[in-house]
Amino acid sequence: MPAQITMPQQSDTMTEGTVVKWHKREGDAIKAGEVIAEIETDKATMEMESFEAGTLAAIVAREGQKVPVGGVIAVIATKGEDAGKVKASAGSSGGGAAPAPVAKPQAASPTTPATPVAAPAPAKPAAAPVPSAPKANYNFDIIVIGGGPAGYAAAIRAAQLNKRVLCVEKENLGGTCLNWGCIPTKALLEDGAFIRRLRNGAAEHGVTVEGLKIDFAKIIGRSRAIATKLQKGIGSLFHKYKVKSEIGMGKVLAAHKVQVTGADGAKKEFTAEHVVIAVGARATELPFAKFDGKTVINARDAMTLSAQPKRLAIIGAGAIGAEFADFYNAIGTEVTIIEMLPQLLPIEDEDVSILLKRLFERRGIKCFTKTKTDKVERTAGGVKLTLSGENPGEVEADAVLVAVGVTANTTDLAAPEAKLELDRGRVKVDHEYKTNLENVWAIGDCVSMHWPESMGMAGYRHPDLAHVAHHEAVHVVEHICGFGQGGGIDYKSIPGCTYTHPQVASMGTTEKKLREQGREIKIGKFPFSASGRALAAGESDGFVKLIFDAKYGELLGAHMIGENVTEMLSELVLAKKLEATEAEIIDAMHPHPTMSEAVMEAAGVADGRAIHL
């Protein structure tokens, strides 16, 4: 029986593909597993192998032709069949009844030979839901206000699900995270770490570095170039998925109506069946320390200064404050951190924060905890801070970075007559991200989430993290489109990362909170000083600390400090998601030598089975 080659469906949004190139001609003999053509899907260009051996009897789709999913692109005459007759039959009947597909796509690899594969009956991919007919009085199906990690993810996912989408962004696609936060700060931190290794660690590796010079402007320029490149990438994705975008300030006028005000003051109005608010947040300003961009600065200012400050004071020792302390100290700035609470990184496990403070102080960073900033005065040389608490006195610096939290960007977000409900300046939403307005939703750093008592979330606050915003965006859009996979976001297991050196990574509950709750726990702690891989890398500071339920072995918390521990955290997030116990983490074979072996060893300590400690 002739075998038909059909256009496969490679994603839930794919409706057609393009034949890019044929590697075989009509009449050519074909082996099972041999690459016969290249196709272009909505994701990438893929090679196709034949599951059948025979003769390529008929090429139905020419190069450059678009073919719907399931459409026949060629017919193979199998063993004993006359290729000419098969071709004639294909031409007259359109290929006849379609048997199971006999070709499969694979990632293109010019050096890897094709491997014959038996022809299973492939499972049919889940198709994207068919969108309902758009309502005539709406310009779009979904309008997203905000183009950051929540906004652009929501816009792209909605477009993938065949919705007509408009994304409104006030400044740059990618939002604060891509342009002024997550990404460019990591570039600065990597440069700082590189400089620190050259200055302090080169000799240990047998390298002599003389006349080390730092070009602050180039460091800043590299960071900005990376942000610009990624920003353009978001624009390309919008073009690919046919997402419309407007640069301007979005305002909710009513449940289904949004106004966009451009930089020139021109106003446009758009309507949509659904509106998703994803406007993010900005740095919180202290009443006695107003930002001026030069001496009293926020995080955005700190990564675009025209000159390196000789002395920098930082108010707030959360992730932002700690990361900038790490970077500026690495390039030679005298840094002082002032934190009201008892520890650096106040939300982290105490053991982690204690070690980070010790390492910071070893590098010359002054860390004032349990200390309050009462006054910030501008002086001829910069600023003067008046402190009280455990470290009373005055600190003088060229500039002060205020990193005490974020404030939602809800100013002028909605017209008064819209009556959008706010809670302490944030958009009030329920656990399904619904606002008080019909079909208006809110996600990301701008929300105040209210969980029902039955969910047991008392005491939890919405985490302002880019990856949380991203997952909320996908979840909400799929819910709107009726394509959700079920299950919401587990806010009790949110991973958190701080990219200081050493890095800090955590998930779940701290030891202190678990003991306050009266939980019976087991703790396994493995130091990197006992890790061969860490010693070889010259990065032996830090540890992995895992906390388990004493009775059932459930993973309750993971707290790590060390080089590249942010890359190790995903394993533990997955372990928590799959309800892995300490015994199962031990039994999961970890490759040697790696930093990640410390996870297995820490679980072993908790279970009394550690080999290397």
Side-chain angles (χ1 to χ4, degrees):
M1 179 179 177
Q4 292 182 336
I5 301 172
T6 61
M7 181 63 67
Q9 184 175 32
Q10 291 304 298
S11 72
D12 54 19
T13 61
M14 180 179 168
T15 57
E16 63 180 12
T18 303
V19 178
V20 177
K21 182 179 180 180
W22 283 103
H23 291 277
K24 295 291 183 180
R25 298 179 181 179
E26 290 184 354
D28 285 354
I30 295 173
K31 299 177 182 179
E34 188 173 11
V35 174
I36 58 175
E38 292 178 21
I39 62 167
E40 186 179 70
T41 72
D42 61 345
K43 299 292 185 183
T45 299
M46 312 288 285
E47 291 182 345
M48 294 184 68
E49 298 174 352
S50 175
F51 279 124
E52 293 282 351
T55 302
L56 183 56
I59 293 177
V60 179
R62 65 185 182 278
E63 291 181 356
Q65 183 176 337
K66 293 185 181 296
V67 181
V69 169
V72 178
I73 64 174
V75 182
I76 294 176
T78 55
K79 186 176 181 181
E81 293 180 318
D82 185 289
K85 291 181 179 179
V86 170
K87 179 178 179 179
S89 175
S92 62
S93 65
V102 297
K104 71 170 186 176
Q106 66 172 20
S109 175
T111 58
T112 304
T115 303
V117 181
K124 185 178 180 182
V130 178
S132 57
K135 297 183 179 180
N137 57 322
Y138 293 138
N139 304 126
F140 295 93
D141 297 312
I142 299 175
I143 293 176
V144 182
I145 304 177
Y152 79 71
I156 290 173
R157 186 64 184 129
Q160 288 174 341
L161 294 173
N162 302 323
K163 296 297 183 181
R164 301 173 304 153
V165 186
L166 172 66
C167 182
V168 181
E169 164 56 38
K170 69 176 181 179
E171 186 177 18
N172 301 119
L173 291 177
T176 298
C177 175
L178 188 153
N179 292 282
W180 304 104
C182 315
I183 305 303
T185 55
K186 304 311 164 281
L188 296 178
L189 286 161
E190 287 302 311
D191 287 347
F194 180 69
I195 293 166
R196 183 184 293 114
R197 291 189 189 101
L198 288 176
R199 178 183 286 136
N200 302 331
E204 185 179 347
H205 291 271
V207 177
T208 300
V209 178
E210 296 180 356
L212 181 65
K213 295 181 180 179
I214 297 171
D215 189 327
F216 183 72
K218 281 191 175 181
I219 292 174
I220 297 299
R222 190 181 87 90
S223 169
R224 301 311 314 144
I226 291 169
T228 300
K229 180 178 181 179
L230 291 175
Q231 179 199 128
K232 291 179 180 178
I234 301 298
S236 298
L237 288 170
F238 274 17
H239 178 75
K240 175 180 179 179
Y241 291 109
K242 298 180 174 59
V243 174
K244 302 292 184 183
S245 63
E246 289 277 346
I247 298 298
M249 296 294 295
K251 176 187 284 190
V252 177
L253 298 180
H256 300 275
K257 186 182 292 186
V258 173
Q259 180 187 82
V260 180
T261 303
D264 59 357
K267 299 182 186 298
K268 302 178 184 178
E269 289 187 8
F270 301 96
T271 58
E273 186 173 358
H274 295 271
V275 175
V276 178
I277 297 170
V279 293
R282 64 187 184 279
T284 297
E285 193 172 51
L286 293 173
F288 54 85
K290 299 294 184 180
F291 295 131
D292 61 18
K294 295 179 180 179
T295 55
V296 180
I297 62 176
N298 57 31
R300 178 166 175 165
D301 302 322
M303 64 183 74
T304 56
L305 292 175
S306 58
Q308 177 186 345
K310 294 181 179 179
R311 301 167 299 168
L312 179 67
I314 301 175
I315 304 174
I320 293 174
E323 287 181 359
F324 276 108
D326 183 280
F327 165 67
Y328 275 103
N329 167 259
I331 64 173
T333 296
E334 180 185 313
V335 177
T336 302
I337 301 178
I338 302 101
E339 171 57 54
M340 286 180 57
L341 296 174
Q343 62 185 57
L344 305 185
L345 302 180
I347 66 172
E348 298 293 345
D349 190 90
E350 283 187 359
D351 287 353
V352 168
S353 295
I354 289 169
L355 179 57
L356 182 66
K357 182 181 179 184
R358 186 184 308 148
L359 295 173
F360 269 15
E361 289 177 336
R362 184 193 301 171
R363 293 175 186 165
I365 299 174
K366 298 175 183 177
C367 300
F368 296 160
T369 54
K370 298 182 182 178
T371 303
K372 182 181 177 183
T373 305
D374 295 318
K375 185 189 298 184
V376 173
E377 300 173 86
R378 290 173 175 82
T379 65
V383 289
K384 181 172 69 174
L385 285 68
T386 303
L387 311 180
S388 62
E390 283 201 353
N391 299 276
E394 294 179 346
V395 170
E396 295 197 35
D398 300 326
V400 56
L401 166 63
V402 179
V404 295
V406 295
T407 300
N409 290 320
T410 56
T411 303
D412 208 29
L413 171 64
E417 57 269 23
K419 297 183 179 179
L420 178 68
E421 189 173 356
L422 301 182
D423 176 24
R424 290 167 294 177
R426 293 180 172 234
V427 182
K428 184 177 180 180
V429 296
D430 64 13
H431 67 290
E432 293 182 330
Y433 312 97
K434 294 178 182 177
T435 71
N436 63 306
L437 302 182
E438 179 186 59
N439 286 2
V440 177
W441 316 73
I443 52 178
D445 294 2
C446 67
V447 307
S448 173
M449 182 166 280
H450 292 252
W451 290 279
E453 290 185 12
S454 59
M455 293 185 68
M457 295 294 293
Y460 281 83
R461 61 178 292 275
H462 182 271
D464 296 334
L465 296 168
H467 43 279
V468 173
H470 171 96
H471 280 265
E472 289 176 346
V474 173
H475 177 80
V476 165
V477 166
E478 291 185 347
H479 176 71
I480 289 172
C481 298
F483 191 60
Q485 300 298 314
I489 294 171
D490 179 8
Y491 287 94
K492 295 180 180 180
S493 301
I494 299 295
C497 300
T498 303
Y499 295 85
T500 49
H501 292 83
Q503 296 176 354
V504 172
S506 64
M507 176 211 61
T509 314
T510 64
E511 177 184 354
K512 181 179 180 180
K513 286 186 178 179
L514 288 168
R515 294 199 185 283
E516 289 172 351
Q517 294 169 8
R519 295 289 295 267
E520 293 293 326
I521 59 176
K522 293 194 297 184
I523 296 176
K525 191 173 179 181
F526 187 83
F528 283 117
S529 59
S531 163
R533 183 68 184 87
L535 289 167
E539 300 289 353
S540 58
D541 290 324
F543 55 81
V544 173
K545 177 179 179 179
L546 303 182
I547 309 174
F548 300 95
D549 178 82
K551 183 175 181 181
Y552 299 107
E554 175 191 359
L555 178 62
L556 301 176
H559 307 282
M560 302 184 287
I561 179 170
E563 194 62 19
N564 286 326
V565 292
T566 59
E567 302 294 339
M568 294 164 53
L569 185 58
S570 294
E571 171 188 351
L572 292 162
V573 173
L574 186 60
K576 183 75 164 62
K577 178 77 173 176
L578 299 179
E579 301 179 344
T581 64
E582 81 272 30
E584 289 169 323
I585 293 173
I586 296 167
D587 293 340
M589 190 179 294
H590 288 63
H592 175 78
T594 62
M595 301 284 282
S596 66
E597 284 179 290
V599 172
M600 176 183 70
E601 294 281 7
V605 172
D607 203 39
R609 296 168 56 189
I611 300 299
H612 295 97
L613 198 64

